[in-house]
PDB file of all heavy atoms in Angstrom:
ATOM      1  N   ALA A 715      15.416-163.522  52.665  1.00  0.00           N
ATOM      2  CA  ALA A 715      16.798-163.905  52.709  1.00  0.00           C
ATOM      3  C   ALA A 715      17.307-163.985  54.127  1.00  0.00           C
ATOM      4  O   ALA A 715      18.304-164.721  54.400  1.00  0.00           O
ATOM      5  CB  ALA A 715      17.636-162.902  51.848  1.00  0.00           C
ATOM      6  N   LEU A 716      16.627-163.287  55.028  1.00  0.00           N
ATOM      7  CA  LEU A 716      17.109-163.399  56.472  1.00  0.00           C
ATOM      8  C   LEU A 716      16.347-164.366  57.222  1.00  0.00           C
ATOM      9  O   LEU A 716      16.815-165.001  58.138  1.00  0.00           O
ATOM     10  CB  LEU A 716      17.009-162.043  57.137  1.00  0.00           C
ATOM     11  CG  LEU A 716      17.934-160.844  56.590  1.00  0.00           C
ATOM     12  CD1 LEU A 716      17.601-159.559  57.188  1.00  0.00           C
ATOM     13  CD2 LEU A 716      19.377-161.279  56.968  1.00  0.00           C
ATOM     14  N   THR A 717      15.004-164.575  56.899  1.00  0.00           N
ATOM     15  CA  THR A 717      14.235-165.416  57.742  1.00  0.00           C
ATOM     16  C   THR A 717      14.385-166.900  57.208  1.00  0.00           C
ATOM     17  O   THR A 717      14.400-167.815  58.198  1.00  0.00           O
ATOM     18  CB  THR A 717      12.733-165.059  57.607  1.00  0.00           C
ATOM     19  OG1 THR A 717      12.429-164.952  56.296  1.00  0.00           O
ATOM     20  CG2 THR A 717      12.512-163.727  58.322  1.00  0.00           C
ATOM     21  N   LEU A 718      14.594-167.107  55.934  1.00  0.00           N
ATOM     22  CA  LEU A 718      14.771-168.533  55.495  1.00  0.00           C
ATOM     23  C   LEU A 718      15.957-169.206  56.108  1.00  0.00           C
ATOM     24  O   LEU A 718      15.862-170.245  56.706  1.00  0.00           O
ATOM     25  CB  LEU A 718      14.838-168.568  53.972  1.00  0.00           C
ATOM     26  CG  LEU A 718      14.988-169.975  53.303  1.00  0.00           C
ATOM     27  CD1 LEU A 718      13.732-170.762  53.649  1.00  0.00           C
ATOM     28  CD2 LEU A 718      15.123-169.812  51.860  1.00  0.00           C
ATOM     29  N   PRO A 719      17.113-168.529  56.175  1.00  0.00           N
ATOM     30  CA  PRO A 719      18.272-169.200  56.930  1.00  0.00           C
ATOM     31  C   PRO A 719      18.025-169.318  58.436  1.00  0.00           C
ATOM     32  O   PRO A 719      18.481-170.384  59.008  1.00  0.00           O
ATOM     33  CB  PRO A 719      19.428-168.380  56.722  1.00  0.00           C
ATOM     34  CG  PRO A 719      19.078-167.328  55.621  1.00  0.00           C
ATOM     35  CD  PRO A 719      17.537-167.356  55.573  1.00  0.00           C
ATOM     36  N   ALA A 720      17.308-168.483  59.050  1.00  0.00           N
ATOM     37  CA  ALA A 720      16.944-168.571  60.367  1.00  0.00           C
ATOM     38  C   ALA A 720      16.144-169.811  60.701  1.00  0.00           C
ATOM     39  O   ALA A 720      16.460-170.545  61.600  1.00  0.00           O
ATOM     40  CB  ALA A 720      16.304-167.332  60.900  1.00  0.00           C
ATOM     41  N   PHE A 721      15.160-170.038  59.813  1.00  0.00           N
ATOM     42  CA  PHE A 721      14.285-171.200  60.050  1.00  0.00           C
ATOM     43  C   PHE A 721      15.015-172.471  59.729  1.00  0.00           C
ATOM     44  O   PHE A 721      14.800-173.565  60.368  1.00  0.00           O
ATOM     45  CB  PHE A 721      13.019-171.080  59.324  1.00  0.00           C
ATOM     46  CG  PHE A 721      11.997-170.275  59.977  1.00  0.00           C
ATOM     47  CD1 PHE A 721      11.616-169.053  59.545  1.00  0.00           C
ATOM     48  CD2 PHE A 721      11.450-170.722  61.218  1.00  0.00           C
ATOM     49  CE1 PHE A 721      10.725-168.254  60.219  1.00  0.00           C
ATOM     50  CE2 PHE A 721      10.391-169.912  61.901  1.00  0.00           C
ATOM     51  CZ  PHE A 721      10.040-168.658  61.306  1.00  0.00           C
ATOM     52  N   VAL A 722      15.862-172.409  58.755  1.00  0.00           N
ATOM     53  CA  VAL A 722      16.718-173.677  58.287  1.00  0.00           C
ATOM     54  C   VAL A 722      17.636-173.997  59.546  1.00  0.00           C
ATOM     55  O   VAL A 722      17.881-175.126  59.857  1.00  0.00           O
ATOM     56  CB  VAL A 722      17.577-173.326  57.062  1.00  0.00           C
ATOM     57  CG1 VAL A 722      18.643-174.523  56.863  1.00  0.00           C
ATOM     58  CG2 VAL A 722      16.578-173.387  55.839  1.00  0.00           C
ATOM     59  N   ALA A 723      18.239-172.891  60.126  1.00  0.00           N
ATOM     60  CA  ALA A 723      19.114-173.214  61.388  1.00  0.00           C
ATOM     61  C   ALA A 723      18.247-173.877  62.452  1.00  0.00           C
ATOM     62  O   ALA A 723      18.864-174.665  63.136  1.00  0.00           O
ATOM     63  CB  ALA A 723      19.755-171.875  61.851  1.00  0.00           C
ATOM     64  N   LEU A 724      17.053-173.215  62.702  1.00  0.00           N
ATOM     65  CA  LEU A 724      16.224-173.941  63.759  1.00  0.00           C
ATOM     66  C   LEU A 724      15.838-175.281  63.475  1.00  0.00           C
ATOM     67  O   LEU A 724      15.875-176.206  64.406  1.00  0.00           O
ATOM     68  CB  LEU A 724      15.101-173.035  64.005  1.00  0.00           C
ATOM     69  CG  LEU A 724      15.269-171.666  64.729  1.00  0.00           C
ATOM     70  CD1 LEU A 724      13.919-170.843  64.796  1.00  0.00           C
ATOM     71  CD2 LEU A 724      15.852-171.901  66.105  1.00  0.00           C
ATOM     72  N   MET A 725      15.542-175.507  62.171  1.00  0.00           N
ATOM     73  CA  MET A 725      15.212-176.889  61.756  1.00  0.00           C
ATOM     74  C   MET A 725      16.453-177.889  61.965  1.00  0.00           C
ATOM     75  O   MET A 725      16.201-178.904  62.505  1.00  0.00           O
ATOM     76  CB  MET A 725      14.824-176.820  60.312  1.00  0.00           C
ATOM     77  CG  MET A 725      14.555-178.367  59.796  1.00  0.00           C
ATOM     78  SD  MET A 725      14.718-178.528  58.069  1.00  0.00           S
ATOM     79  CE  MET A 725      16.332-177.882  57.705  1.00  0.00           C
ATOM     80  N   LEU A 726      17.681-177.369  61.592  1.00  0.00           N
ATOM     81  CA  LEU A 726      18.762-178.240  61.712  1.00  0.00           C
ATOM     82  C   LEU A 726      19.264-178.388  63.254  1.00  0.00           C
ATOM     83  O   LEU A 726      20.047-179.273  63.476  1.00  0.00           O
ATOM     84  CB  LEU A 726      19.939-177.684  60.809  1.00  0.00           C
ATOM     85  CG  LEU A 726      19.765-177.952  59.357  1.00  0.00           C
ATOM     86  CD1 LEU A 726      20.927-177.241  58.537  1.00  0.00           C
ATOM     87  CD2 LEU A 726      19.793-179.412  59.109  1.00  0.00           C
ATOM     88  N   ALA A 727      18.748-177.601  64.036  1.00  0.00           N
ATOM     89  CA  ALA A 727      19.003-177.656  65.560  1.00  0.00           C
ATOM     90  C   ALA A 727      18.223-178.745  66.195  1.00  0.00           C
ATOM     91  O   ALA A 727      18.443-179.103  67.363  1.00  0.00           O
ATOM     92  CB  ALA A 727      18.762-176.302  66.142  1.00  0.00           C
ATOM     93  N   MET A 728      17.282-179.390  65.419  1.00  0.00           N
ATOM     94  CA  MET A 728      16.404-180.476  65.948  1.00  0.00           C
ATOM     95  C   MET A 728      17.027-181.845  65.480  1.00  0.00           C
ATOM     96  O   MET A 728      17.239-182.060  64.197  1.00  0.00           O
ATOM     97  CB  MET A 728      15.093-180.283  65.438  1.00  0.00           C
ATOM     98  CG  MET A 728      14.407-179.088  65.918  1.00  0.00           C
ATOM     99  SD  MET A 728      12.777-178.774  65.164  1.00  0.00           S
ATOM    100  CE  MET A 728      11.816-180.042  66.014  1.00  0.00           C
ATOM    101  N   GLU A 729      17.226-182.691  66.521  1.00  0.00           N
ATOM    102  CA  GLU A 729      17.936-184.051  66.135  1.00  0.00           C
ATOM    103  C   GLU A 729      17.116-184.837  65.075  1.00  0.00           C
ATOM    104  O   GLU A 729      17.746-185.413  64.217  1.00  0.00           O
ATOM    105  CB  GLU A 729      17.970-184.840  67.453  1.00  0.00           C
ATOM    106  CG  GLU A 729      18.879-186.039  67.334  1.00  0.00           C
ATOM    107  CD  GLU A 729      19.153-186.823  68.635  1.00  0.00           C
ATOM    108  OE1 GLU A 729      18.965-186.106  69.627  1.00  0.00           O
ATOM    109  OE2 GLU A 729      19.293-187.953  68.520  1.00  0.00           O
ATOM    110  N   ARG A 730      15.855-184.808  65.208  1.00  0.00           N
ATOM    111  CA  ARG A 730      14.991-185.544  64.331  1.00  0.00           C
ATOM    112  C   ARG A 730      15.335-185.073  62.815  1.00  0.00           C
ATOM    113  O   ARG A 730      15.455-185.871  61.863  1.00  0.00           O
ATOM    114  CB  ARG A 730      13.578-185.293  64.625  1.00  0.00           C
ATOM    115  CG  ARG A 730      12.673-185.922  63.580  1.00  0.00           C
ATOM    116  CD  ARG A 730      11.250-185.606  63.934  1.00  0.00           C
ATOM    117  NE  ARG A 730      10.379-185.910  62.764  1.00  0.00           N
ATOM    118  CZ  ARG A 730       9.035-185.622  62.760  1.00  0.00           C
ATOM    119  NH1 ARG A 730       8.467-184.918  63.854  1.00  0.00           N
ATOM    120  NH2 ARG A 730       8.191-185.843  61.816  1.00  0.00           N
TER     121      ARG A 730
END
Side-chain angles (χ1 to χ4, degrees):
L716 292 172
T717 54
L718 185 61
F721 280 110
V722 169
L724 288 174
M725 176 205 49
L726 286 174
M728 299 173 71
E729 188 175 336
R730 174 182 170 185

